[in-house]
Amino acid sequence: MAPLFPAPDDDTADMPELCEINVTPFIDVMLVLLIIFMVVSPLATVDLKIDLPAATAQPEPRPEKPLFVSLKADHSLYLGESPVAREQLGSLLDAQTGGDRQRTLFFQADKQAGYEDVLGVMDALRQAGYLKVGLVGREGGG
């Protein structure tokens, strides 16, 4: 039976010990996490089909739980993914935000929506007391 740790001979006695960290398991875990984030991230966005106009401004960082108000081309209004009547917008926003009127809302309108409709929604938000409204556009400016 051969010894478990053979005695060093002349050839191996002069070689330095190799002390490196095996990073293969770390890379495997990182790739799995990357795939998980790639699959989950599209599910975390609003799924309304709105054709947004493009913007060339530098994008701002997105908050943890954004609240979207959306106006589609057919003049329908949505809070998140739920349809809402313009008259009920203020009360539903109060319910969603817990009455926090300092919270920033994100307003997105289809580029086919009329200017009068966009101003009508902006006016309804202002009358409800929500003055911090960010406009959403497509990135890329093209």
Side-chain angles (χ1 to χ4, degrees):
M1 180 163 200
L4 189 56
F5 296 104
D9 56 345
D10 292 336
D11 293 337
T12 60
D14 296 334
M15 295 178 65
E17 289 186 22
L18 186 61
C19 297
E20 292 182 9
I21 297 174
N22 185 5
V23 295
T24 304
F26 176 72
I27 293 172
D28 291 343
V29 169
M30 287 291 119
L31 289 175
V32 168
L33 287 175
L34 177 66
I35 291 170
I36 290 171
F37 283 119
M38 287 173 56
V39 169
V40 171
S41 64
L43 302 176
T45 60
V46 177
D47 287 339
L48 294 177
K49 299 294 181 195
I50 294 180
D51 191 14
L52 295 172
T56 57
Q58 194 72 357
E60 291 290 322
R62 190 174 184 167
E64 290 181 26
K65 292 185 180 180
L67 187 57
F68 286 93
V69 177
S70 306
L71 179 64
K72 293 182 78 172
D74 62 357
H75 310 293
S76 57
L77 189 62
Y78 289 82
L79 182 57
E81 294 184 18
S82 306
V84 61
R86 211 171 275 189
E87 303 81 34
Q88 298 174 338
L89 183 61
S91 61
L92 290 174
L93 278 171
D94 287 339
Q96 287 272 338
T97 63
D100 179 18
R101 294 197 166 129
Q102 296 301 312
R103 182 168 173 189
T104 301
L105 304 177
F106 293 93
F107 179 49
Q108 57 186 2
D110 193 287
K111 68 180 179 181
Q112 299 299 321
Y115 183 70
E116 184 177 349
D117 297 321
V118 171
L119 279 183
V121 173
M122 296 287 287
D123 190 44
L125 292 172
R126 184 181 53 80
Q127 287 178 356
Y130 293 92
L131 302 178
K132 293 185 176 183
V133 179
L135 299 177
V136 179
R138 267 187 304 130
E139 294 179 15

